[in-house]
Amino acid sequence: MDQSFVKNMPKLGFGLMRLPTIGDAIDIPQTCRMVDMFLEKGFLYFDTAYGYGNGASERAIKAALVDRYPRDRFYLATKLPAWAGAKDAAEARQMFYTSLERTGALYFDFYLLHNLGEQRTHYFDDYGIWDFLAEQKQKGLIRHLGFSFHDKADELDKLLTAHPEMEFVQLQINYMDWENPAIESRKCYEVARRHNKPVVIMEPVKGGNLAKAPETVQKLFEESRPGASASSWAIRFAASLEGVLTVLSGMSSVEQMADNLATMEHFEPLSEAEQAVIAAAREAFNAIPSVPCTACQYCVKGCPMNINIPGVFTAYNIYLKYGNADFASGHYGWQTDGHHMAKASACVECGQCEQACPQHIHIREQLKGAAKALER
């Protein structure tokens, strides 16, 4: 498969999920300025999705980018979430045409089946989305076809084996999730490499959680590279990996754009000494007390209330490690309501989960803590 599209791609992409806002609306003038800054420095890749802001992100990038620059001046990526409310194949397929209309892009340089994994993948199979998008590619409406993925490495391997026609894969990779058993960043990356698929990296700063490092971590960074932001370390970690097409950063302000451009305009991969600093930073973060869940799922099988216990603890650990209550609460909603599973507060304290847990976690008490911190 021709992978010439990888060679000259700048390693910073503009993620359009968290654009600046004024009230509830996207700040178009500031977004325009960010787009201009990004293109002026030679960066090209813009990433949105059908569902971002209920379509507001796709409309914003039409106003800030597509209507203001020649079509061959940039690469635009968007995504189709067949699992998100489509009642049948016709509604799922219409998402593609809606994205074309919203963006005014004429075609998509990169198009993705959105968020495969867990219980979501079957919708793409049931609605024939794989073949439908292959047809759009043959028509010239898609230049490169891939998918984004949130699940374990074994499932990724099955998908890439079943669909060798996919040209690239988008994965959640950052230095804190590299060995996280709930995310399996390293293992997923290694699967993609075995299948010779270029990787688009999402969440390199873990939804902004790595942008504000605790004092112990910031001291490590400052001693090694004075003046460099915590975000710059996270993005350089991701961009230093081999086989990376680009690293998406969900920027929300001109200031964040300026910091990322300063980091990536003359990108330097992490040195061996800097890799050691990242390892030390990971250890410092891991020293912060959290729930030692390995996401083995043994606790879930007999839960009478259908609580997504590992998912709850993933969200709770975000709260405990990074202190980001809003992000943790949003992730908690995805892990519970988003997976059609019960919240922590539904626990009836039967105790079967603790009998099954190989880590001997006091699950009932931790669920109470999660409910208190994250349920609103």
Side-chain angles (χ1 to χ4, degrees):
M1 184 179 292
D2 179 21
Q3 294 188 358
S4 58
F5 64 93
V6 179
K7 294 179 181 178
N8 298 317
M9 181 70 71
K11 292 296 183 285
L12 178 65
F14 189 174
L16 305 171
M17 184 179 183
R18 302 180 180 92
L19 291 172
T21 57
I22 299 176
D24 294 330
I26 291 175
D27 182 345
I28 297 298
Q30 186 173 183
T31 301
C32 287
R33 177 60 186 139
M34 295 167 71
V35 165
D36 294 345
M37 294 169 65
F38 190 74
L39 290 173
E40 284 169 6
K41 294 298 185 180
F43 295 98
L44 302 169
Y45 193 107
F46 295 82
D47 171 87
T48 184
Y50 174 89
Y52 289 175
N54 293 319
S57 175
E58 290 187 332
R59 296 187 188 96
I61 206 57
K62 180 180 189 298
L65 175 69
V66 178
D67 289 349
R68 298 173 63 239
Y69 285 92
R71 184 60 187 88
D72 61 358
R73 181 72 174 78
F74 57 85
Y75 297 124
L76 183 61
T78 194
K79 314 177 193 75
L80 188 158
W83 43 268
K87 300 185 187 69
D88 53 34
E91 286 193 7
R93 296 176 185 191
Q94 180 58 39
M95 292 176 177
F96 174 80
Y97 300 114
T98 298
S99 290
L100 269 180
E101 180 182 2
R102 284 175 182 165
T103 61
L106 303 178
Y107 61 89
F108 294 112
D109 302 278
F110 296 87
Y111 198 82
L112 299 89
L113 293 76
H114 194 183
N115 198 4
L116 271 67
E118 297 177 334
Q119 77 280 11
R120 299 176 299 278
T121 299
H122 77 87
Y123 289 99
F124 298 92
D125 299 330
D126 297 347
Y127 296 156
I129 299 302
W130 304 94
D131 291 338
F132 168 72
L133 293 181
E135 291 169 5
Q136 307 316 307
K137 185 180 177 186
Q138 289 180 344
K139 294 176 183 177
L141 297 177
I142 294 170
R143 300 293 168 85
H144 301 289
L145 184 59
F147 63 85
S148 64
F149 179 83
H150 286 278
D151 203 346
K152 300 298 182 67
D154 287 347
E155 183 63 22
L156 178 61
D157 187 51
K158 292 176 184 177
L159 280 169
L160 289 176
T161 299
H163 295 281
E165 75 277 13
M166 293 292 102
E167 296 176 85
F168 66 100
V169 62
Q170 185 164 311
L171 301 174
Q172 178 175 329
I173 294 177
N174 57 71
Y175 68 81
M176 282 306 298
D177 288 329
W178 191 241
E179 298 293 353
N180 184 341
I183 307 296
E184 293 192 345
S185 281
R186 176 183 58 79
K187 291 181 179 179
C188 286
Y189 167 75
E190 290 173 351
V191 166
R193 293 294 290 156
R194 284 201 301 273
H195 284 268
N196 194 32
K197 302 300 179 185
V199 176
V200 173
I201 292 181
M202 57 182 162
E203 302 292 351
V205 194
K206 198 172 172 64
N209 286 302
L210 301 180
K212 296 181 180 178
E215 185 176 347
T216 53
V217 173
Q218 190 58 51
K219 183 179 179 181
L220 289 168
F221 290 158
E222 187 65 22
E223 289 175 349
S224 176
R225 200 176 181 93
S229 67
S231 294
S232 71
W233 281 88
I235 290 174
R236 288 179 63 224
F237 169 83
S240 296
L241 296 168
E242 294 183 3
V244 169
L245 176 60
T246 197
V247 178
L248 302 176
S249 180
M251 294 170 271
S252 304
S253 68
V254 166
E255 292 75 20
Q256 290 177 4
M257 175 65 75
D259 181 61
N260 283 342
L261 293 177
T263 300
M264 296 300 291
E265 183 180 6
H266 304 291
F267 169 62
E268 298 178 15
L270 292 177
S271 66
E272 186 174 341
E274 287 174 324
Q275 290 283 6
V277 171
I278 287 288
R282 187 184 297 119
E283 290 180 9
F285 266 116
N286 285 333
I288 299 171
S290 61
V291 183
C293 176
T294 63
C296 68
Q297 300 286 330
Y298 296 156
C299 58
V300 177
K301 297 174 184 177
C303 177
M305 304 309 294
N306 193 36
I307 299 171
N308 182 8
I309 297 171
V312 167
F313 289 160
T314 296
Y316 191 31
N317 280 339
I318 291 172
Y319 174 80
L320 294 173
K321 283 183 177 293
Y322 310 108
N324 190 337
D326 289 339
F327 185 88
S329 294
H331 192 72
Y332 180 74
W334 167 248
Q335 291 287 358
T336 53
D337 295 339
H339 284 69
H340 306 292
M341 297 184 78
K343 290 181 167 62
S345 58
C347 177
V348 294
E349 300 192 54
C350 67
Q352 77 79 27
C353 54
E354 295 183 8
Q355 297 175 25
C357 179
Q359 305 302 317
H360 307 294
I361 298 169
H362 297 297
I363 293 175
R364 288 172 286 186
E365 290 303 310
Q366 296 289 3
L367 287 176
K368 290 177 184 177
K372 182 178 179 180
L374 303 177
E375 293 185 12
R376 300 178 177 180

